[in-house]
């Protein structure tokens, strides 16, 4: 059902956890099946220094979370914003058709965390 | 790696004795039972013996058994065949919210095609109320279908009482006994049923074979047309090796049922109690004790998701199933758990272990050793568990 | 006693290689292909491999294959499913007088339920005229079904030409290829078909398994409701061991077909010519040469009755079949022979030998040794033969 890559990320998820006082936190729920994903970002200048996630969801949801954190670590915010749902699925060697929506969770949570970072910046500026 | 199969409600291995009997009919006694030569006649005899074995197991007459390609087809034949045959008497149908899809989807099809359907609710244990059935029956009700035991939570319905009621009111009563057969007594007379569905691959027989019991006198419009096999009720060259395997599986199940049920009940309770003891925030789904199938364990593990549990269990060799939205193609959680009033989040973390003939105490203990570690790992990953603990801490 | 099976058009033995593969899936890899654990996944993979094998054998895409419980169910699904799906486009249906009952009875059912049916005649060899098909097609014709090769007389229809015509006219074209598969090339593209029925137990696979090819884009309303297996076209737990056996049988047939067809053609002609040589008043039914299936021999032995012939042959170990009224439950002689314009008396004495993979020249010679004696014995008993001889003598 799942590719080896998916199973690898599911079994040994990278970057599980949370970042206390993260610069940006994004949480999204999957309206299709009711799953939840939260992503924490540690940002320095323009660069994502650290990233962690927590996910309540299926194998694909866990694997896409793990994958997306691996993909953005060390990247600039602009690069991170370019990561699409399809790119995450592709990086995992593909997902079963009825699980494609799960990859939305990962990219959406990432983008939500970046938005949260910008919102906090705005607020700090006053 | 140890492999522990705990998904016997999904399907069972074929008993070796059954399989080797089937082999003979695949490769040596392969005649078409409609042929008049000896190849055909030896197949015909074995087929009719199988009919006796299946009939004998459920207290029916052989002539009342129609073989089909499985439980699903038998359910379809019962519902669609009777609805069509009796449509002049009325167009009201009754079933329950916790039936298998083979029943529910079939009724839904009729509801979209000129019939009126009442779907009865169940209580939080998944059980039906006989009173509720009584109130639902109308003068134009022609057909009532209630499953004997539920495939997900193992709830055993008060089928005999409901059957008495149906008979009083002149309503045809169909029972899906796919999950109960071989685990608890199934007798068409004791249960007061008019039609009853059974399936071979749930009782250590081959897949692709089932049967519909139809009480003498009940009319059915067939669903498959052709050579007129099975007394015109179900055309198509008979799957003789499969049917013979099913017959043998019934014979074996009949001989072993009492012992097996006792053993399975012990394993069931050991597993259920063990899980409750070792893992926090776990809820048992379905009734406990005698109203539950001897081989069914169903629990909701809060704050984790079912498919992730299944995958993690599979990685240590344990095969189970889940009513989680993510494991079902449809992305809705189990309609059975929802009908029992369970919130989506909790249905999401449901886990079913269904025990079988080969399972041992060691199998159960292996699950009890592995499951807590898996739940812990997944909970560490879960934003919901976090949140719950923080909220608990804040209090 | 020597046992010679010559009824391969009724059913075939399962190839030992197929049977032993199936065993593995009955007793070891028994998972339900819908389950996400490894038991389920290994079954799923094998099931999808079988789909590729079946598709590959008929030049289709795997996604265009729907597995069913046999040829009869596939025929029903094709006809009833398409008639329902396209009823808004028209209600005229066309088939032929020599189809299998799985087709004819299904169309008859529709003809009684609001559809209009044209049944095309055949010539004295059992062959259809393409012109006749052309004339029958109307603007409201939605579906045309023609068998590839006839199960009784082996007549091979001009299916490719008819398919071209159907496509031109926008009529859905279904072909029953149950008898042709494995004997002559069957390719859904070469034959220009939209739907095509195949059955496993006619090609050394297990009984109770078949498939319907449905060209991408063609709509079908399902006939069985439930868990939504087979892309919602055919619900019910998949008969994985059976399907896997069917896949393997296709693979074997594909590899062996050319050689086997040559061998069978030789045996066929040896048997047919031998009978004509050794017995008087015998008539070959169906075409000779390339328009006949390589494995079919069908003769009418005048002045004797088919069932008596079959019983006598069976007593010396030879299994054959007959289109006699007495062998059919219905007491009407074969509708195929009648459609070919054969008088009742002659249809009565018809005899079909259908050759198979295991048959040898010795088998054929054994029949040629036994049959004349049997015919002689029965004719000595026959008042018709008497009469004929008296009348001949009188002349
Ligand atoms: C209660 C119930 N009814 C019907 C079925 C369908 O039977 P089958 O799998 O033989 O199609 C099943 C099993 O899948 C079942 O559990
Ligand atoms: C031409 C033809 N169509 C359909 C069928 C029915 O197939 P099955 O026996 O698999 O139901 C048969 C054989 O019985 C046949 O010969
Ligand atoms: S997150 Fe539920 S299906 Fe993937
Ligand atoms: S003579 Fe008995 S059935 Fe024909």
């Amino acid at each position: 059902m799942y590719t080896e890559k998916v199973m690898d990320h599911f079994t040994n998820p990278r970057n599980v956890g949370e970042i206390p006082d993260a610069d940006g936190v994004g949480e999204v729920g999957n309206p299709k099946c009711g799953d939840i994903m939260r992503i924490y970002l540690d940002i320095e200048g323009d660069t994502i220094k650290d990233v962690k996630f927590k996910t309540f969801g299926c194998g694909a949801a866990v694997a896409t979370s793990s994958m997306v954190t691996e993909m953005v670590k060390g990247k600039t915010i602009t690069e991170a914003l370019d990561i699409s749902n399809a790119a995450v699925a592709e990086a995992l060697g593909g997902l079963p058709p009825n699980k494609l929506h799960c990859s939305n969770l990962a990219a959406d949570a990432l983008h939500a965390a970046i938005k949260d970072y910008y919102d906090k910046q705005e607020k700090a500026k006053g | 790696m140890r492999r522990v199969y705990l998904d016997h409600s999904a399907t069972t291995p074929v008993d070796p004795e059954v399989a080797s009997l089937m082999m003979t009919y695949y490769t040596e006694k392969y005649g078409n039972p409609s042929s008049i030569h000896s190849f055909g006649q030896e197949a015909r005899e074995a087929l009719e013996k199988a009919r006796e074995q299946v009939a004998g197991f459920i207290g029916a007459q052989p002539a009342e058994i129609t073989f089909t390609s499985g439980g699903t087809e038998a359910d379809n034949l019962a519902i669609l065949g009777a609805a069509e045959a009796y449509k002049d008497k009325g167009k009201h149908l009754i079933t329950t919210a916790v039936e298998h899809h083979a029943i529910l989807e079939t009724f839904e099809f009729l509801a979209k095609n000129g019939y009126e359907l009442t779907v009865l609710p169940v209580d939080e244990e998944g059980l039906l109320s006989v009173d509720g059935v009584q109130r639902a029956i109308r003068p134009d009700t022609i057909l009532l279908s209630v499953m004997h035991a539920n495939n997900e939570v193992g709830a055993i319905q008060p089928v005999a009482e409901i059957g008495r009621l149906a008979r009083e009111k002149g309503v045809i009563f169909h029972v899906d006994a796919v999950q109960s057969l071989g685990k608890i007594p199934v007798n068409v007379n004791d249960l007061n049923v008019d039609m009853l569905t059974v399936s071979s691959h749930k009782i250590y027989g081959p897949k692709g074979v089932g049967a519909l019991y139809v009480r003498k006198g009940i009319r059915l419009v067939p669903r498959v047309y052709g050579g007129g096999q099975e007394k015109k009720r179900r055309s198509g060259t008979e799957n003789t090796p499969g049917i013979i395997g099913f017959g043998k599986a019934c014979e074996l199940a009949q001989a072993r049922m009492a012992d097996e049920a006792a053993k399975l009940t012990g394993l069931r309770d050991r597993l259920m109690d063990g899980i409750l003891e070792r893992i926090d925030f776990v809820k048992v789904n379905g009734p406990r004790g005698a109203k539950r199938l001897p081989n069914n364990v169903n629990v909701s593990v809060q704050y984790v998701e079912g498919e992730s549990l299944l995958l993690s269990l599979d990685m240590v060799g344990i095969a189970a199933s889940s009513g989680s939205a993510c494991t079902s193609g449809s992305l809705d959680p189990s309609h059975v758990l929802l009908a029992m009033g369970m919130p989506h989040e909790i249905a999401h973390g449901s886990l079913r272990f269904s025990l079988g003939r080969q399972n041992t105490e060691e199998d159960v203990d292996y699950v009890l050793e592995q499951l807590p570690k898996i739940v812990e790992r997944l909970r560490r990953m879960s934003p919901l568990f976090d949140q719950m603990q923080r909220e608990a801490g804040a209090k």
Side-chain angles (χ1 to χ4, degrees), chain B residues 39-116:
Chain B
F39 290 85
Q41 290 312 301
E42 70 196 1
R44 167 63 56 195
E45 268 167 45
L47 177 63
E48 296 311 327
K49 180 175 169 202
R51 202 184 302 279
E52 284 166 25
Q53 287 167 320
V54 174
F57 195 21
I58 61 172
Q61 295 302 314
E64 294 171 320
I65 300 297
T66 300
F67 287 112
T68 68
S69 69
T72 298
E73 192 194 334
D75 279 343
N76 273 254
L77 175 58
I79 304 307
L80 299 171
E84 178 69 23
Y86 291 92
K87 67 182 175 197
D88 293 339
K89 234 193 108 200
K91 293 202 134 189
H92 182 236
L93 313 164
I94 306 176
T95 191
T96 86
V98 293
E99 297 299 308
H100 190 267
H101 286 299
I103 294 287
L104 280 179
E105 296 284 318
T106 305
F107 274 118
E108 293 295 343
F109 169 79
L110 288 172
K112 278 192 222 109
N113 286 275
Y115 290 80
E116 216 184 314

Side-chain angles (χ1 to χ4, degrees), chain B residues 68-372:
Chain B
T68 68
S69 69
T72 298
E73 192 194 334
D75 279 343
N76 273 254
L77 175 58
I79 304 307
L80 299 171
E84 178 69 23
Y86 291 92
K87 67 182 175 197
D88 293 339
K89 234 193 108 200
K91 293 202 134 189
H92 182 236
L93 313 164
I94 306 176
T95 191
T96 86
V98 293
E99 297 299 308
H100 190 267
H101 286 299
I103 294 287
L104 280 179
E105 296 284 318
T106 305
F107 274 118
E108 293 295 343
F109 169 79
L110 288 172
K112 278 192 222 109
N113 286 275
Y115 290 80
E116 216 184 314
L117 176 64
T118 299
V119 179
L120 297 169
V122 293
D123 67 14
E124 67 284 353
E125 290 192 319
L127 291 166
L128 206 61
S129 120
V130 179
D131 269 8
V133 178
Q134 170 132 35
R135 278 193 305 272
I137 296 177
R138 309 188 323 203
D140 62 337
T141 306
I142 51 171
L143 177 61
L144 164 63
S145 181
V146 174
M147 73 201 315
H148 193 187
N150 184 268
N151 45 309
E152 295 190 29
V153 299
I156 300 170
Q157 304 295 353
V159 165
E161 278 175 77
I162 296 172
R164 209 170 305 125
L165 199 61
R167 192 149 299 167
E168 248 171 60
K169 305 267 186 169
V171 174
I172 297 175
F173 185 39
H174 170 257
V175 164
D176 179 335
V178 168
Q179 291 291 341
S180 54
L181 190 75
K183 280 153 219 146
I184 55 174
V186 174
N187 181 297
V188 294
N189 298 312
D190 297 349
L191 298 181
N192 306 307
V193 307
D194 297 310
M195 299 193 283
L196 184 127
T197 294
V198 291
S199 175
S200 157
H201 74 102
K202 311 282 187 183
I203 64 156
Y204 308 93
K207 290 177 181 59
V209 190
L212 183 65
Y213 157 80
V214 184
R215 187 176 292 281
K216 190 162 182 269
I218 299 284
R219 283 178 291 125
L220 274 193
V221 174
R223 295 285 300 164
V224 185
Y225 299 93
Q229 289 89 343
E230 294 295 291
K231 297 218 185 98
K232 294 217 165 85
R233 282 222 162 119
R234 206 290 186 179
S235 287
T237 301
E238 298 90 337
N239 176 1
T240 18
I243 290 169
I244 291 163
F246 185 22
K248 186 73 189 176
C250 284
E251 185 197 299
L252 296 178
Q254 190 160 14
R256 300 178 189 175
M257 193 166 73
D259 288 349
E260 260 173 29
K263 179 190 119 174
L264 289 172
T265 304
L267 293 179
R268 174 193 76 183
D269 293 340
R270 183 187 186 93
L271 180 56
M272 204 141 55
D273 294 339
I275 292 174
L276 290 172
E277 229 167 70
R278 281 170 186 74
I279 309 176
D280 284 340
F281 309 109
V282 167
K283 198 187 148 308
V284 169
N285 301 319
R288 299 210 60 164
K291 285 188 179 167
R292 182 178 205 108
L293 280 180
N295 75 326
N296 175 288
V297 172
N298 191 312
V299 292
S300 283
V301 183
Q302 281 183 263
Y303 314 115
V304 295
E305 190 278 322
E307 193 200 278
S308 291
L309 279 170
L310 291 189
L311 290 175
S312 305
L313 285 166
D314 189 44
M315 263 161 349
V316 296
I318 300 168
S321 86
S322 165
S324 146
C326 302
T327 50
S328 77
S330 75
L331 300 183
D332 286 321
S334 149
H335 68 284
V336 173
L337 299 180
L338 295 184
M340 290 160 63
M342 194 173 294
H344 268 61
E345 318 84 80
I346 303 193
H348 227 41
S350 80
L351 206 48
R352 178 187 73 182
F353 297 103
S354 42
L355 296 145
R357 198 171 272 175
Q358 306 302 328
N359 291 135
T360 59
E361 287 198 354
E362 288 71 49
D363 290 343
V364 166
D365 293 345
Y366 182 65
V367 175
L368 292 176
E369 176 200 323
Q370 296 294 331
L371 185 61

Side-chain angles (χ1 to χ4, degrees), chain A residues 14-43:
Chain A
R14 332 299 198 242
N15 307 307
V16 180
E18 38 194 289
I19 299 174
D21 307 316
D23 298 314
V25 181
E27 178 173 307
V28 295
N30 193 332
K32 285 232 168 74
C33 57
D35 296 341
I36 293 173
M37 181 183 301
R38 199 184 292 148
I39 283 194
Y40 301 84
L41 296 176
D42 181 0
I43 295 174

Side-chain angles (χ1 to χ4, degrees), chain A residues 1-12:
Chain A
M1 179 169 71
Y2 288 131
T3 63
E4 259 175 56
K5 198 93 183 261
V6 172
M7 287 312 289
D8 175 41
H9 276 268
F10 173 74
T11 324
N12 308 297

